[in-house]
Amino acid sequence: PKHQKDAELTPVSFSEQLFQLSYQLCKEFPSLTPFILEKEKFKKVIRLYADVRKLQIRENTNNSITDTRSNNRKIRRPARDNWF
């Protein structure tokens, strides 16, 4: 739809980006809070976020490769009417 494309192109403010970043980190690490992140150096927070994203992307890539391989190895046999 037209509205969805417009929403994707809407620029996000820097403060909104920081909020999204801290939200994702707090979701990933429940012991973290926005208040704790606020006290840390910006560079440390960005580095942590970048490392977490790399790990998530790597895991997703590995899982999709494993899923593809495991789907190819499934053996299907016709079901029988007799369960005994």
Side-chain angles (χ1 to χ4, degrees), residues 35-79:
F35 300 113
I36 293 172
L37 290 174
E38 202 173 271
K39 293 177 185 175
E40 289 297 325
K41 290 185 179 181
F42 182 73
K43 188 174 182 177
K44 281 186 174 183
V45 174
I46 295 297
R47 186 176 296 145
L48 174 63
Y49 181 77
D51 291 344
V52 168
R53 283 299 297 150
K54 286 177 193 174
L55 179 65
Q56 289 171 338
I57 291 168
R58 194 175 322 126
E59 284 178 348
N60 287 339
T61 304
N62 289 341
N63 287 342
S64 65
I65 290 171
T66 304
D67 290 343
T68 305
R69 289 180 185 164
S70 64
N71 286 340
N72 294 335
R73 294 181 184 167
K74 290 182 181 171
I75 299 172
R76 303 208 184 264
R77 296 186 179 129

Side-chain angles (χ1 to χ4, degrees), residues 12-46:
V12 179
S13 71
F14 185 68
S15 62
E16 288 178 63
Q17 289 177 353
L18 286 179
F19 174 78
Q20 290 173 358
L21 185 138
S22 66
Y23 176 75
Q24 290 297 326
L25 286 175
C26 292
K27 227 168 64 169
E28 188 72 28
F29 303 103
S31 62
L32 279 180
T33 67
F35 300 113
I36 293 172
L37 290 174
E38 202 173 271
K39 293 177 185 175
E40 289 297 325
K41 290 185 179 181
F42 182 73
K43 188 174 182 177
K44 281 186 174 183
V45 174
I46 295 297

